[in-house]
Amino acid sequence: MKRKFVIAVDSFKGCLTSAEAGGAVAEALRTAVADAETACVEVSDGGEGMASAFTKALGGSIEKAYVHDLMMRRRWAKYGVTADGTAIIEAAEACGLTLVGEDERNPVRATSYGVGELVAAAVKRGCRKFIIGLGGSGTSDAGIGMLRALTDRLAPRGGTIDDALRGGLSQCRFTLACDVSNPLLGANGATMVFARQKGATPEMLPLLEKRAERFARASARHFGFDRSCSPGAGAAGGLGYAFMQYLNAEMRPGADLLLDLCGFDAMLDGAECVITGEGRADRQTLMGKLPQRVMRRARLKGVPAWLIAGRVDDEDALLEAGFAKAVSVTPDGMALAEAIRKDVAVRNIFSGVKKLLGN
């Protein structure tokens, strides 16, 4: 009888995609266990690799659109389309932080315009259902750029966002895949929590907060309701707010949404264990990140969850929270620049899987 292993490993950021990391784990298992049967799920919580993972889970195809990035430079961006007309859009494809160098980061200037272009391209293609991944953005414009692009692309010439909303967008339903629960404004909002990592200087913070506050106040007056305090409004620099306020979007935890779509719970039947992980695992992993979501589902089915990561900190806390094993694959003393080389990371994963198996 074969030994079944289910694999659901998030990307090792800047190094391996979810598919690459999961594939390395699967190959290591087949090498070490003669009778291994592996079921590998490409996963994402709404950030890096989201379009690929969700499109694969839904049996769709990857398309491209020529859009503007967060600095208004033209680029091709990928999005997914399924047979039932669902568009899967990864915001980071158009406004991701990785699209700019550290010296270019400027959230006062950065725009989510390209995300609106992706949505408009999918609407014109006939899509009426949307899953939007909000992770990894480099913007803090409260979604103003995204709404401007929708106006430019979908409203009659000289029209407004209201004209676009009364057109094809009125038939569209939006689901946001995101694990961020911050509001738009305040000490826990988009600016104060996330803008620094996007390049904001101390002088920029009050400017960004004031811009978002003015926009939210004007939007509330216009619609007669206010979504700025809704959980997730602060995601992607306030892009979550714009989708909820203007497009009536529903927020869902990205990891759980994907695991539901791919039938993950049924895959656990008969499994000896599930192997999950990410580039770095620590106490933040226990704040709703993908490995924790996988572990909780596995425990409900009585399946132990093994955690593998480039680096593991707070191992005791991770084990106490429910992981059966936790292994760091990067050897002590190895420099980060060496560890994130793709070939080295794969080799380290092979060694890490052997540790998990007790070999």
Side-chain angles (χ1 to χ4, degrees), residues 298-310:
R299 292 190 74 190
L300 288 174
K301 299 275 285 189
V303 177
W306 297 355
L307 179 67
I308 192 168

Side-chain angles (χ1 to χ4, degrees), residues 135-356:
S137 81
T139 56
S140 294
D141 70 345
I144 294 170
M146 182 270 292
L147 296 170
R148 184 169 294 133
L150 291 179
T151 303
D152 292 346
R153 298 291 184 271
L154 299 178
R157 185 177 296 276
T160 67
I161 185 62
D162 289 330
D163 297 315
L165 294 174
R166 284 190 289 266
L169 286 171
S170 65
Q171 306 163 34
C172 296
R173 299 202 322 270
F174 293 85
T175 300
L176 305 178
C178 180
D179 289 321
V180 169
S181 59
N182 303 69
L184 176 64
L185 304 169
N188 293 316
T191 298
M192 298 307 172
V193 175
F194 302 112
R196 290 179 184 85
Q197 68 195 46
K198 300 176 183 184
T201 63
E203 294 76 22
M204 290 179 184
L205 296 179
L207 298 176
L208 293 168
E209 182 75 357
K210 193 169 293 184
R211 181 173 68 182
E213 186 179 354
R214 283 199 303 267
F215 178 53
R217 190 163 54 241
S219 300
R221 282 199 305 268
H222 183 75
F223 288 103
F225 60 86
D226 182 12
R227 298 280 191 265
S228 65
C229 294
S230 299
L239 188 57
Y241 162 76
F243 272 108
M244 289 190 281
Q245 179 75 30
Y246 283 78
L247 298 166
N248 197 32
E250 171 196 12
M251 182 74 70
R252 290 279 308 276
D256 283 332
L257 178 58
L258 176 62
L259 294 172
D260 287 340
L261 290 173
C262 71
F264 180 76
D265 292 351
M267 293 175 64
L268 294 171
D269 292 339
E272 179 175 321
C273 76
V274 59
I275 299 178
T276 186
E278 58 187 337
R280 178 172 178 171
D282 52 28
R283 289 181 185 275
Q284 290 190 32
T285 300
L286 304 177
M287 299 172 65
K289 293 178 74 174
L290 189 141
Q292 186 198 38
R293 305 273 182 180
V294 169
M295 178 267 287
R296 286 181 172 177
R297 286 174 178 247
R299 292 190 74 190
L300 288 174
K301 299 275 285 189
V303 177
W306 297 355
L307 179 67
I308 192 168
R311 177 176 172 178
V312 172
D313 293 323
D314 308 314
E315 181 179 352
D316 290 344
L318 293 166
L319 296 176
E320 186 178 341
F323 289 102
K325 298 181 181 181
V327 164
S328 175
V329 304
T330 305
D332 292 340
M334 178 175 283
L336 178 61
E338 174 77 1
I340 63 174
R341 279 178 41 195
K342 188 168 292 191
D343 60 328
V344 174
V346 168
R347 190 165 64 244
N348 288 342
I349 284 175
F350 267 65
S351 297
V353 169
K354 288 182 179 180
K355 290 181 188 177
L356 286 173

Side-chain angles (χ1 to χ4, degrees), residues 97-115:
L97 188 60
T98 59
L99 299 180
V100 292
E102 287 192 25
D103 59 333
E104 297 179 293
R105 295 177 184 177
N106 182 345
V108 171
R109 179 185 168 198
T111 176
S112 58
Y113 191 92
V115 179

